[in-house]
């Protein structure tokens, strides 16, 4: 079984940041008619930017993630459906970026990952997954509309999801 490492967490955050930036470029290219009349471009542009800034702030602390946290991430990777983890990741990012958590609870990669782990563990584990933690973790972030903005009732633009 392949286990998650510091490099995998770095890659996960880098991929999420890149997906958010690509999502903004895709949205910028869409005709205005594709959006709900209440779509607030400035609000959602700022939401994406704030997520990228938060990820950038976490990156320097990835190398200091402790072994128990990596073990806990590996445990949830093999014991929970990746969509459950994806939901927890999105909710945790929204809470961190939106001020739902005290800053000292999410100011390092270690602390932020502990929040995600706690969010996942409120769900019952699924059956043990085949394959390794790395394969499961690749499904924690969507490449298209990674923040699920299109699903907001005041957005409702179309995306083609393949994950």
């Amino acid at each position: 079984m392949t286990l998650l490492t510091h490099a995998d967490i770095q890659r996960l955050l880098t991929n999420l940041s890149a997906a958010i930036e690509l999502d903004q470029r895709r949205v910028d290219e869409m005709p205005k008619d594709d959006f709900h009349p209440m779509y607030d471009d400035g609000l959602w542009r700022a939401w994406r930017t704030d997520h990228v800034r938060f990820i950038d702030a976490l990156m320097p602390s990835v190398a200091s993630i402790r072994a128990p946290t990596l073990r806990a991430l590996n445990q949830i990777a093999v014991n929970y459906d990746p969509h459950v983890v994806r939901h927890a990741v999105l909710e945790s990012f929204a809470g961190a970026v939106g001020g739902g958590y005290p800053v000292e609870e999410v100011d390092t990669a270690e602390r932020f990952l502990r929040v995600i782990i706690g969010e996942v563990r409120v769900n019952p584990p699924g059956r043990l997954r085949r394959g390794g933690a790395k394969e499961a973790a690749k499904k924690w972030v969507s490449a298209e509309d990674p923040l699920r903005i299109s699903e907001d009732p005041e957005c409702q633009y179309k995306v083609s999801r393949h994950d």
Side-chain angles (χ1 to χ4, degrees), residues 6-150:
H6 293 95
D8 296 316
I9 303 306
Q10 187 93 24
R11 194 169 18 264
L12 180 77
L13 292 173
T14 299
N15 289 346
L16 177 57
S17 184
I20 292 168
E21 290 174 342
L22 179 59
D23 183 55
Q24 184 62 62
R25 287 194 299 276
R26 285 181 184 143
V27 167
D28 289 345
E29 294 172 358
M30 293 172 67
K32 291 193 186 289
D33 292 344
D34 286 357
F35 298 91
H36 188 280
M38 297 294 292
Y39 180 78
D40 183 339
D41 181 69
L43 171 92
W44 295 110
R45 185 176 300 275
W47 187 241
R48 289 181 188 95
T49 299
D50 290 347
H51 275 73
V52 171
R53 284 186 184 142
F54 180 71
I55 292 166
D56 288 346
L58 293 179
M59 293 296 246
S61 64
V62 168
S64 64
I65 298 169
R66 297 175 308 139
T69 301
L70 286 174
R71 281 193 299 273
L73 284 172
N74 280 295
Q75 183 183 41
I76 67 170
V78 298
N79 289 303
Y80 287 85
D81 183 296
H83 292 90
V84 169
V85 181
R86 178 186 293 178
H87 179 75
V89 167
L90 287 174
E91 291 298 314
S92 298
F93 268 108
V97 171
Y101 298 113
V103 172
E104 62 274 6
E105 287 185 21
V106 293
D107 62 347
T108 67
E110 168 87 23
R111 290 182 182 125
F112 181 64
L113 291 172
R114 292 310 244 162
V115 167
I116 292 172
I117 291 163
E119 291 291 325
V120 171
R121 287 185 172 162
V122 300
N123 296 285
R127 59 189 174 97
L128 191 62
R129 301 185 51 75
R130 291 181 188 215
K134 290 183 184 196
E135 290 77 22
K138 289 176 185 175
K139 298 176 183 173
W140 293 353
V141 173
S142 176
E144 189 165 348
D145 191 22
L147 301 178
R148 300 289 200 227
I149 293 171
S150 67

